[in-house]
Amino acid sequence: MEHKDWKNVSSSDEESNSDFDLQDMNVEERHQNPYSTLCTSLSKLQFRKDISKAVWCEDVLMAEVIAKKGSIWATTGVVRSSKIYCLIEEIAFLAERGALILVDVRDTVLSLNDIYNKLSDENNGCCWESFEAYRHLKSLGYIVGRHGLPWSLKKDENSGSSVSLKCTLENDEKKPNFDVYPPDSKFKKTSPGNPSFMVYVLRGDLPSKPVVEQLERECSGTLLKFCYVDHGRVSFFSTDKVELPVLL
Amino acid sequence: MESTNTRWKGKGFAEIARSNPMSQTLDQLQQALTQQPKTRALLSGQCALLEATPAQADLLNRACLGQPIVTAEKDKQWFELGLEETLYLHHHMKCLPIVCENENPMNDEELWARMKSVTKRFPVLYKAYSHLRSKRWVVRSGSQYGADFVVYRHHPALVHSEYAAIVRSPGCDGTRGGDARLESWPDLQCALRVCGSVAKTLLVLNVECNGCVAEEERFPACLEEYTVEERVIKRWTPEKCRDGSQTVGTNGY
């Protein structure tokens, strides 16, 4: 089985936002034949030449980006007081691809295991299933932000609560998880515009009708997609209200 | 021993399967996981994450357990294991310690409570899963076919799945209501229709709880109480059976 390299190391430094595309995610790996003599080991994402770096800040539950490499930062991380902070799902996504090194305040490198641990800690505002939804959409080139978290705030807007992610964590789980923008947009963090849809990641049982309606109110007109993650398979559903016309 | 529904994916694959029995692979996997003292899985949401050595990764792939995660890491292979797979490795094969966030080890009670909190069907789903796995069938998620599991005679790279399995637990409290499957004609016809069009046989696994009350289920004792009945449901077409040759029913419509 031939696999394309995720990132050609010899390519130019200019990266497009569609860097992380799905064809390289080896979706068809699922049934690779382990009994075949031609069997290659699971293809690895190649190490990148340009690796960004971020420091985990426990007080804001995000990481401050201290070395930005590549154009990924045009659509990743939130801007607060001219600094870029990146959320745990963004960290995990980039770290899996070898595009980001996360360190703690003592400059000790945190392993992927440490990052998965943080991801599993729901105090950080994410969970494994949300992350898989995020990864799936990002791999298709979509621009994905945490729902309701502004992409950028100027200094004066930001006074008092500093970076504050915590306010968004106190939701009662009845808010969408992500605001999603199409891949081809001329996206600007300072004027992101309206998302093209919002995603609510389902956990456990199917949502009741009142929950669906509450979510729809929260979306105020933006399309809502439900995401269900099952053994690594990410599926999306919509349930849009329709009114069939009266026919002649 | 093969049913008429066994469809190997290539020439000689039946032979490869025969010379690589699943029981042997599972034994080797058990050893490979136990030999590495650092092996543990991190329970995260509705799955567990396992950092495997190359040897462990190969055996997990051969046993068709979990889903490899593609990362840039060089010498380690991460796997995402489903909850049933996780518990099977932990409880049945006794070769996988489980930790939660911050590397805290989880005892059986915590583990069971956590898994049950994901879906209240978990105890019966796990019983059905472990029932089939113990018989060395390969069991994977059936969500693509609207079933609980799909069931393979051997590795999915070698053979198509034979059964789409739906787990029922008519006698168990706490798992009825919205979760109950095959309790209406449209639902049964829908399941048969899908199975027919993908050339699978509908396998219904009736899990009987034998008086174990869902609220008081104690792990793992309750699993011993549960029993599983296997039943195959097919459409039977008398038009095709007038010569008396086929009386057991056919797949599909």
Side-chain angles (χ1 to χ4, degrees):
Chain A
M1 213 180 283
E2 284 289 320
H3 299 299
K4 285 182 187 170
D5 293 329
W6 170 67
K7 172 87 171 77
N8 189 342
V9 174
S10 63
S11 74
S12 73
D13 290 342
E14 279 298 310
E15 299 178 44
S16 72
N17 287 330
S18 61
D19 244 10
F20 311 107
D21 57 8
L22 194 69
Q23 62 177 1
D24 301 321
M25 290 291 290
N26 299 316
V27 172
E28 295 306 322
E29 282 286 351
R30 293 174 185 283
H31 290 172
Q32 191 179 25
N33 186 354
Y35 298 95
S36 159
T37 47
L38 298 169
C39 174
T40 53
S41 66
L42 191 74
S43 90
K44 297 284 181 180
L45 298 170
Q46 252 182 43
F47 269 106
R48 302 164 68 90
K49 188 169 56 176
D50 294 327
I51 303 173
S52 302
K53 190 174 172 183
V55 190
W56 181 254
C57 311
E58 196 58 48
D59 52 337
V60 291
L61 304 175
M62 290 193 278
E64 185 191 336
V65 182
I66 51 172
K68 285 189 291 175
K69 295 286 169 66
S71 64
I72 47 174
W73 298 107
T75 54
T76 307
V78 293
V79 183
R80 299 289 183 271
S81 316
S82 327
K83 289 177 181 168
I84 295 186
Y85 289 88
C86 129
L87 295 154
I88 188 63
E89 60 269 31
E90 298 174 320
I91 294 166
F93 179 74
L94 295 174
E96 278 188 347
R97 278 145 195 78
L100 177 81
I101 289 174
L102 183 69
V103 297
D104 65 12
V105 282
R106 290 181 298 277
D107 206 36
T108 312
V109 174
L110 299 177
S111 68
L112 200 50
N113 185 46
D114 298 325
I115 293 170
Y116 285 157
N117 260 288
K118 288 193 189 304
L119 198 57
S120 311
D121 183 352
E122 299 198 2
N123 292 325
N124 293 328
C126 199
C127 66
W128 183 257
E129 285 71 33
S130 295
F131 169 63
E132 289 203 281
Y134 174 88
R135 177 168 63 188
H136 189 84
L137 291 168
K138 283 293 281 186
S139 303
L140 290 165
Y142 285 96
I143 296 160
V144 187
R146 191 90 57 90
H147 173 70
L149 187 68
W151 283 95
S152 68
L153 284 179
K154 288 186 199 123
K155 246 177 197 157
D156 49 342
E157 293 175 274
N158 204 13
S159 59
S161 62
S162 72
V163 189
S164 189
L165 167 70
K166 283 177 175 149
C167 61
T168 65
L169 293 179
E170 282 158 22
N171 69 31
D172 52 358
E173 290 187 58
K174 298 297 179 282
K175 287 180 178 173
N177 301 66
F178 298 114
D179 295 343
V180 186
Y181 300 81
D184 58 347
S185 67
K186 305 219 176 337
F187 183 82
K188 272 203 170 80
K189 285 184 184 174
T190 45
S191 55
N194 291 322
S196 67
F197 59 94
M198 294 173 180
V199 172
Y200 179 73
V201 181
L202 294 167
R203 306 193 68 190
D205 298 325
L206 288 171
S208 64
K209 190 162 176 274
V211 169
V212 172
E213 287 166 349
Q214 190 188 342
L215 282 163
E216 282 173 339
R217 280 193 297 277
E218 177 68 28
C219 292
S220 51
T222 305
L223 289 175
L224 173 66
K225 311 289 179 206
F226 291 89
C227 177
Y228 183 67
V229 182
D230 171 83
H231 294 83
R233 184 171 280 122
V234 184
S235 324
F236 293 90
F237 302 92
S238 63
T239 163
D240 300 327
K241 227 175 190 168
V242 292
E243 204 162 309
L244 297 185
V246 178
L247 301 176
L248 282 179
Chain B
M1 288 299 283
E2 288 174 20
S3 75
T4 50
N5 213 26
T6 306
R7 294 178 302 132
W8 296 98
K9 288 186 173 174
K11 213 179 149 199
F13 280 14
E15 189 45 49
I16 297 175
R18 252 193 300 280
S19 47
N20 292 280
M22 210 33 91
S23 51
Q24 188 187 319
T25 306
L26 290 171
D27 285 349
Q28 289 169 345
L29 174 66
Q30 191 177 31
Q31 276 181 22
L33 289 172
T34 327
Q35 275 165 8
Q36 285 286 332
K38 278 192 199 159
T39 300
R40 75 253 183 283
L42 165 69
L43 196 62
S44 184
Q46 304 179 18
C47 72
L49 304 172
L50 168 66
E51 194 179 23
T53 64
Q56 292 171 340
D58 178 55
L59 286 163
L60 283 165
N61 283 329
R62 282 169 181 262
C64 207
L65 280 159
Q67 203 63 52
I69 303 172
V70 181
T71 68
E73 297 214 325
K74 268 184 176 159
D75 37 312
K76 288 283 187 173
Q77 174 63 59
W78 280 91
F79 276 84
E80 173 183 344
L81 299 166
L83 290 184
E84 291 90 1
E85 294 170 326
T86 308
L87 195 59
Y88 193 74
L89 287 169
H90 173 78
H91 170 66
H92 188 92
M93 290 174 63
K94 311 232 180 295
C95 57
L96 186 67
I98 316 283
V99 298
C100 57
E101 306 87 65
N102 309 316
E103 305 287 324
N104 294 320
M106 294 186 83
N107 64 33
D108 280 356
E109 206 161 300
E110 291 168 326
L111 194 61
W112 188 239
R114 177 88 173 257
M115 290 185 169
K116 272 167 63 176
S117 74
V118 172
T119 161
K120 52 184 189 289
R121 291 182 74 214
F122 184 76
V124 290
L125 285 176
Y126 176 70
K127 181 68 190 183
Y129 178 90
S130 56
H131 172 82
L132 294 171
R133 272 284 182 183
S134 310
K135 292 181 163 195
R136 263 82 72 181
W137 287 77
V138 171
V139 188
R140 302 293 277 172
S141 162
S143 61
Q144 273 184 315
Y145 306 111
D148 291 311
F149 303 115
V150 283
V151 186
Y152 299 82
R153 184 168 290 275
H154 203 274
H155 195 282
L158 304 180
V159 68
H160 289 279
S161 58
E162 239 147 288
Y163 299 106
I166 290 178
V167 181
R168 299 185 68 220
S169 50
C172 304
D173 293 335
T175 50
R176 304 202 66 160
D179 286 339
R181 285 296 310 271
L182 309 181
E183 293 209 336
S184 69
W185 281 112
D187 191 39
L188 177 64
Q189 282 162 328
C190 172
L192 280 172
R193 180 79 195 208
V194 172
C195 284
S197 61
V198 294
K200 310 207 182 307
T201 303
L202 178 60
L203 176 68
V204 175
L205 296 170
N206 286 312
V207 178
E208 208 43 75
C209 299
N210 301 314
C212 249
V213 187
E215 298 308 311
E216 297 164 8
E217 276 161 359
R218 287 281 172 266
F219 174 79
C222 60
L223 290 177
E224 311 299 324
E225 298 296 315
Y226 289 9
T227 50
V228 183
E229 177 198 49
E230 299 163 0
R231 205 177 262 278
V232 156
I233 301 189
K234 292 177 178 179
R235 237 178 90 96
W236 184 69
T237 39
E239 293 88 332
K240 291 182 184 168
C241 305
R242 288 170 16 104
D243 59 357
S245 63
Q246 203 177 19
T247 51
V248 291
T250 52
N251 279 314
Y253 274 68

